[in-house]
Amino acid sequence: MTRHMDSPWWRDAVVYEIYVRSFADASGDGVGDLPGVRERLPYLRSLGVDAVWLTPFYPSPMADGGYDVADHRGVDPLFGTLADFEALVHDAHELGLKVLVDVVPNHSSSEHPWFRDALRGVGRDRYLFRDRPNNWQSTFSGPAWTQLPDGQWYLHLFASEQPDFNWRNPEVHAEFLDILRFWLDRGVDGFRIDVAMGLYKAEGLPDVEDQAFASVSPIWGRPEVHAVYRDWRKLLDSYPGERMAVGEVWTDDPADLALYVRPDELHQSFNFSWLQAPWSPAAFRKVIDDTLKTVPFATWVLSNHDVVRHRTRYGTDDPGTGLARARAGLLMMLALPGSVYLYQGEELGLPEVTDLPPESRQDPVFKRSKGELPGRDGCRVPLPWTPDGASYGFSADGVAPWLPQPDEFRTLNAQNQAEDPGSTLEFYRRALACRRELARSVPYALEWLESPQGALFFSRGSLTCAVNCGSDPVRLPPHESVLLSSGPVEDGVLPPDTAAWLRTS
Ligand code: NOJ
């Protein structure tokens, strides 16, 4: 299946995730904001992405970096104003970039007016209050229940400042349809749905033995959730343009993902099996095969604001190896059929920051686990834009960013990389430009080629992708020319931890 003119934009889009508080700070308070994003839109245009996904910028006490939403229809002053948001959407559209926003339907902030009412005993049925807790644990560690002074308990699958909604109450359903309308009316092109396999819990909230994110359990993946997405799909389809939704669905089984992307439900769901796969040809091949067999329109993602950056994940003990693999992994991902989600900073080859001082860490995972789990701050460190200044151009000069940046960020800054043809940033630009030109005109179907030990060769029409995950160099398959490679390729030999795109006849 080749890309036809009438194929919707999202099917093979490259979407760039902006973790707003760490992208660029225009107001000079040390926290990234919407005007900061707006100023940097030309950077994203020249990087070559098709769309941006903005993480929550709604009014929030920031107990979970904004995923604790107190008002789903506003902008927190920390991030700007509604007018700033509208200006951002306007400029993005002028530049040909689509804009996705995060919708957080599983829970609200404990400062949400509905929850404040509930605390006074009004409308508790919008949340999950019980006289006795069950044995569920918070995903952020510790119990999933908090007791109020009047004796009742409320459920929160995440932080205690994030009470779970009761989706069996039709008021919740109606409220979210209205929230989606609010942002669709302001021109957004789609939504990223937080905890998309949450929302409904099994009737009676039974105890569980194992509560890992799973296909279907009393906590996750209840079949009732699909009716919600059918209604959301109808709403999205009722708007002009190709509005879409992508669900955050954590599962090991692509068959689960397929349920969320049935033709009358969500357009896409994240494919986290890809980022969970180790640096191994067999593991990559299995995820690719399982995905393409089961999911109608594939997505691929290597990093986001919740996981260790893939340069470090692939890094063993040697940062050079991690970077080489990260670049090779990108080329492999961009050669696959479907759409790709990038996470801010991966285009600079940023590593996970593993040595943040405990007092600077803000993730509730770190706090709730009493420091036992490092949490996710290490992938959320503000971006370095320039070689100089207190925050390498992230904030105004002299302003400390909300998380400290390591010295290494000085050399990884975007400005220097833009001037260096060998940089990771320039490599990303070339790869995205090449994908735009070529990969979109090749067939959707992928064919495996015979590959030497440790390597993976596949082709889509006249494009062949060769990746060497092993420790010995391998010979490239027959080809007319090398279009692009993630590292040096000479005399038809592909070194370890390197990928190449080849043109074949
Ligand atoms: C998934 C989000 O990506 C994560 O950052 C957040 O902590 C949880 N959902 C809870 O909203």
Side-chain angles (χ1 to χ4, degrees), residues 64 67 107 140 158 192 194-195 248 305-306 376 380:
D64 181 24
Y67 282 95
H107 45 263
F140 290 168
F158 296 91
R192 176 266 188 188
D194 191 59
V195 199
E248 186 204 20
H305 67 283
D306 290 328
R376 302 158 295 176
R380 300 174 176 181

Side-chain angles (χ1 to χ4, degrees), residues 103-120:
V103 57
V104 188
N106 181 68
H107 45 263
S108 73
S109 158
S110 49
E111 296 294 317
H112 189 286
W114 279 9
F115 196 73
R116 284 166 173 273
D117 282 351
L119 291 179
R120 304 189 280 120

Side-chain angles (χ1 to χ4, degrees), residues 123-346:
R124 285 199 175 176
D125 195 39
R126 292 164 173 154
Y127 294 91
L128 292 162
F129 280 84
R130 292 292 182 272
D131 290 333
R132 268 178 305 283
N134 64 12
N135 74 347
W136 296 2
Q137 295 295 297
S138 154
T139 312
F140 290 168
S141 89
W145 294 88
T146 292
Q147 192 172 28
L148 296 180
D150 66 16
Q152 278 218 313
W153 301 75
Y154 68 89
L155 178 73
H156 50 87
L157 291 181
F158 296 91
S160 54
E161 297 89 344
Q162 292 168 295
D164 280 48
F165 283 119
N166 172 19
W167 271 86
R168 297 185 193 278
N169 181 340
E171 219 186 324
V172 174
H173 194 106
E175 174 71 357
F176 271 91
L177 280 170
D178 197 60
I179 291 164
L180 298 184
R181 265 185 227 112
F182 180 90
W183 294 106
L184 288 166
D185 289 342
R186 273 153 194 82
V188 305
D189 299 287
F191 299 96
R192 176 266 188 188
I193 304 166
D194 191 59
V195 199
M197 75 299 183
L199 280 54
Y200 281 84
K201 284 81 188 171
E203 296 270 19
L205 309 182
D207 281 351
V208 288
E209 273 170 31
D210 172 7
Q211 72 163 57
F213 282 127
S215 345
V216 180
S217 78
I219 308 180
W220 311 113
R222 305 306 304 163
E224 297 93 317
V225 81
H226 297 287
V228 173
Y229 299 137
R230 285 190 196 109
D231 281 355
W232 289 17
R233 178 64 178 254
K234 279 189 212 129
L235 178 68
L236 289 162
D237 286 349
S238 74
Y239 274 79
E242 295 163 335
R243 317 283 177 118
M244 58 81 72
V246 53
E248 186 204 20
V249 180
W250 285 92
T251 169
D252 291 339
D253 186 350
D256 294 333
L257 294 188
L259 294 177
Y260 291 81
V261 293
R262 285 176 284 192
D264 57 347
E265 294 196 35
L266 304 180
H267 301 73
Q268 295 181 332
S269 72
F270 290 122
N271 186 2
F272 293 122
S273 307
W274 185 243
L275 64 72
Q276 283 167 330
W279 185 252
S280 132
F284 289 137
R285 182 167 174 159
K286 180 167 172 20
V287 177
I288 294 170
D289 279 339
D290 288 352
T291 302
L292 297 182
K293 230 186 297 157
T294 339
V295 183
F297 302 111
T299 67
W300 310 97
V301 58
L302 284 172
S303 279
N304 66 30
H305 67 283
D306 290 328
V307 300
V308 172
R309 283 186 177 277
H310 63 277
R311 170 176 174 180
T312 304
R313 272 200 333 264
Y314 289 156
T316 56
D317 292 328
D318 167 26
T321 304
L323 185 58
R325 290 178 177 178
R327 290 168 58 137
L330 176 85
L331 266 200
M332 170 163 52
M333 174 164 77
L334 290 179
L336 295 172
S339 82
V340 164
Y341 284 80
L342 304 178
Y343 176 50
Q344 67 180 37
E346 65 170 89

